[in-house]
Amino acid sequence: MRRKFDLTFTALQIPLDLFALLAAAGGAYSLRFSETLRDIRPILTEIPFRDYMATAVLFSFVWILFFAIAGLYSTTPRRAWPELGRIFLAGTAGAMMLIATVFFQREFETSRFIVIAVWLFSIAFVWFERLIVRVIRHALLRAGIGHKLVVIIGRGRAAEQLTALYKQHPIFGYTVTRHFNGWNASVRKDLERLIRKGKVDECLLADPDMPKKDALELIHFAESHHITFKYLADLFAAAFSNIEVSADGGVPIIKVRRTPLEGWGRIFKRLFDILVSFALLIILSPLLLVIALLIKLTSEGPVFFSRLPGGNKVMRIGENGKPFHYFKFRTMKKDAHKYHLDPEFMKTYGSHREGPLMKIKDDPRVTNLGRFLRSWSLDELPELFLVLKGDMSLVGPRPHLPEEVSLYKPEQRRVLDIKPGITGMAQISGRADLDFDDEVSLDAWYIENWSPAKDLYILLKTPFVVLQRKGAY
């Protein structure tokens, strides 16, 4: 059912995109030859509408070809913002083709406005058309139409979370038929009965610790019954998904790439950090001055949290485990840091989540102004200076204290592969509400799958998450 559902929407994309492109061409023509623009810029050469639309049909198919090259007709749904980026790039490529044609035909005076209008309209119209399709598709999924029927096998928190996630969020397009704790002969018979009734499309192994013998038997079972098999990779397995294969003297060698942030990726990210942080510091400078003044007027102590009670610099652990001098707006009472990891203090107030990080809800050390700054993440704005300096990045794992990092498990140190960031996957996925293991998993996925588009998506989503004030302490 779900395969037909996805294929139907994929097949509809081409005619709908074609319709949107022709509407964009028609809109550009109507705008250029409207009475208002005629008065502003007279028409030197009339273009018959029939001839114009015949050319538009031809170029619309060229546009569709660029859309296909950009991967806009994949059966796997994409998020809205990355899709907009692909539409922009493909639409721009199509416009360049149109400009080249206009150049060789030497129709500069009659075509320049229409070319620009067609370019902008094509992006806007296709984007709007796809938003409508997205809304319809999501409405159908919420109604349970087009769902894949999945059986989850495995015990533990991950399996329970997936089961609850698919039940609470039908927009993901999965209905959990059954959840089995393990794999044995009894489960095999139950699964065969469900398959005969047509109630299984996929089998998802959500237990990375399942014995290899049982896991292989489950894979063979899925293959023999022609159902899709998926599995939940653990953190160690995820580290080996990004590999390069080379051959030295005919001997194949596999290199595990820590992150795509190498070579030009690293150069691009650094240039992006410099330009954006510099621009934001200029734009936000009045706000920074106001916050600094309010901190000084409302509580005793320095404006910035940059030194410990003994006078030592506040340090955070950065890329490759190297410490750097960290600072942000002070949100706590003077000398509050002496309570950090204090056994008596922890016994009284405790920590609200598992892991090496100390996170206290309703922390008594925080000032009233500091509570406001934290809830809106305004205390972290000075980190833009650290981005400009090069100790941090706009997007990445959060920087942690040396004593916290010393408690990391070996696999959790993966988050130190890149520069820490002001925002990141964890910040847009739950902020302080996340357990540390979940935070590490999200950051590890980001490190493994970094791209400029992901950075842009995270940066654009961050303000909306901050406005919701979810998981802020």
Side-chain angles (χ1 to χ4, degrees):
M1 178 65 181
R2 177 63 184 273
R3 177 177 291 182
K4 292 181 180 179
F5 182 82
D6 290 336
L7 288 176
T8 299
F9 275 90
T10 302
L12 285 173
Q13 283 179 341
I14 293 179
L16 289 175
D17 285 350
L18 187 60
F19 175 80
L21 290 169
L22 292 176
Y29 183 92
S30 299
L31 181 62
R32 178 63 188 97
F33 291 94
S34 64
E35 292 297 329
T36 303
L37 282 186
R38 281 177 182 269
D39 295 338
I40 298 174
R41 186 179 178 84
I43 300 296
L44 300 179
T45 304
E46 291 285 348
I47 304 176
F49 181 73
R50 180 177 296 180
D51 295 343
Y52 170 82
M53 289 306 297
T55 304
V57 170
L58 175 62
F59 275 98
S60 293
F61 283 103
V62 175
W63 244 270
I64 294 295
L65 177 61
F66 282 117
F67 283 175
I69 294 173
L72 286 170
Y73 298 118
S74 170
T75 55
T76 303
R78 288 190 174 86
R79 292 183 178 270
W81 287 112
E83 186 172 68
L84 176 59
R86 290 173 182 265
I87 292 172
F88 178 82
L89 292 175
T92 302
M96 293 301 102
M97 179 71 72
L98 183 57
I99 289 172
T101 303
V102 170
F103 175 81
F104 287 115
Q105 291 184 352
R106 300 181 180 276
E107 296 180 359
F108 306 115
E109 294 300 326
T110 59
S111 303
R112 280 185 300 180
F113 179 88
I114 288 182
V115 168
I116 295 174
V118 166
W119 171 52
L120 297 176
F121 282 10
S122 67
I123 295 171
F125 282 36
V126 171
W127 170 240
F128 183 69
E129 163 253 314
R130 287 193 170 228
L131 279 181
I132 294 175
V133 173
R134 185 182 296 272
V135 170
I136 295 172
R137 184 177 183 277
H138 286 180
L140 292 173
L141 289 175
R142 287 191 180 95
I145 300 173
H147 276 211
K148 284 185 179 178
L149 304 177
V150 60
V151 169
I152 295 179
I153 297 177
R155 59 170 55 88
R157 189 177 65 173
E160 293 172 357
Q161 283 181 335
L162 275 175
T163 303
L165 178 71
Y166 291 152
K167 183 177 181 180
Q168 295 170 6
H169 301 281
I171 197 173
F172 285 108
Y174 290 98
T175 295
V176 179
T177 305
R178 287 285 299 275
H179 174 200
F180 299 103
N181 288 328
W183 178 252
N184 52 44
S186 176
V187 172
R188 182 188 183 100
K189 291 180 180 178
D190 290 342
L191 196 52
E192 286 176 339
R193 184 167 59 254
L194 290 172
I195 292 173
R196 285 195 299 270
K197 294 180 179 179
K199 294 185 177 181
V200 182
D201 296 318
E202 292 186 356
C203 178
L204 196 159
L205 174 58
D207 185 0
D209 297 325
M210 177 179 282
K212 185 177 180 180
K213 178 178 177 295
D214 292 343
L216 289 175
E217 184 179 338
L218 179 57
I219 293 172
H220 295 323
F221 176 87
E223 290 176 346
S224 63
H225 288 80
H226 310 292
I227 59 175
T228 302
F229 175 81
K230 293 182 178 180
Y231 68 96
L232 186 67
D234 59 9
L235 194 62
F236 181 77
F240 292 91
S241 62
N242 195 359
I243 62 175
E244 291 180 354
V245 181
S246 60
D248 295 342
V251 179
I253 297 176
I254 297 176
K255 172 188 175 183
V256 178
R257 296 178 61 196
R258 295 186 303 168
T259 172
L261 272 170
E262 299 175 358
W264 284 107
R266 187 179 181 87
I267 294 172
F268 173 86
K269 189 171 176 66
R270 181 60 187 140
L271 290 175
F272 183 79
D273 283 343
I274 292 173
L275 293 174
V276 175
S277 62
F278 183 74
L280 288 176
L281 284 171
I282 293 175
I283 295 170
L284 298 174
S285 55
L287 178 60
L288 294 172
L289 291 173
V290 170
I291 293 174
L293 182 62
L294 289 174
I295 292 173
K296 203 64 181 175
L297 292 175
T298 56
S299 62
E300 181 184 358
V303 170
F304 296 104
F305 170 63
S306 64
R307 291 192 176 270
L308 302 177
N312 294 328
K313 294 179 179 179
V314 171
M315 304 301 291
R316 292 291 187 269
I317 302 300
E319 185 178 18
N320 296 324
K322 296 179 180 178
F324 66 92
H325 183 201
Y326 175 83
F327 59 89
K328 65 175 183 175
F329 282 130
R330 180 175 58 84
T331 59
M332 290 188 176
K333 301 172 184 177
K334 186 179 179 181
D335 296 338
H337 190 78
K338 64 184 179 182
Y339 295 103
H340 191 76
L341 298 182
D342 184 321
E344 290 300 321
F345 184 83
M346 289 298 297
K347 183 178 179 180
T348 303
Y349 294 100
S351 179
H352 83 278
R353 71 173 185 177
E354 299 178 357
L357 305 190
M358 179 183 177
K359 293 291 183 180
I360 300 175
K361 191 173 183 178
D362 300 324
D363 194 330
R365 302 171 299 169
V366 181
T367 64
N368 291 331
L369 176 62
R371 206 173 305 280
F372 172 80
L373 296 177
R374 286 188 173 198
S375 66
W376 296 100
S377 297
L378 296 175
D379 59 317
E380 298 171 1
L381 289 179
E383 292 177 354
L384 289 169
F385 290 103
L386 296 173
V387 174
L388 194 62
K389 181 184 175 185
D391 290 329
M392 292 181 63
S393 178
L394 290 170
V395 181
R398 288 297 297 156
H400 293 149
L401 291 162
E403 55 265 37
E404 293 171 339
V405 174
S406 66
L407 299 176
Y408 283 9
K409 300 174 185 176
E411 64 271 16
Q412 292 173 340
R413 299 185 69 85
R414 177 75 187 283
V415 299
L416 304 178
D417 280 351
I418 65 173
K419 292 179 182 179
I422 295 178
T423 185
M425 285 297 300
Q427 281 62 51
I428 66 171
S429 304
R431 301 173 76 185
D433 284 342
L434 292 173
D435 287 336
F436 185 64
D437 285 339
D438 295 331
E439 183 178 323
V440 168
S441 297
L442 288 169
D443 287 333
W445 181 88
Y446 167 79
I447 292 169
E448 182 76 20
N449 298 277
W450 173 86
S451 71
K454 287 185 178 63
D455 273 5
L456 184 60
Y457 169 75
I458 292 171
L459 286 173
L460 291 174
K461 187 171 181 179
T462 296
F464 297 99
V465 175
V466 172
L467 289 174
Q468 293 174 357
R469 300 173 65 185
K470 180 182 179 181
Y473 293 109

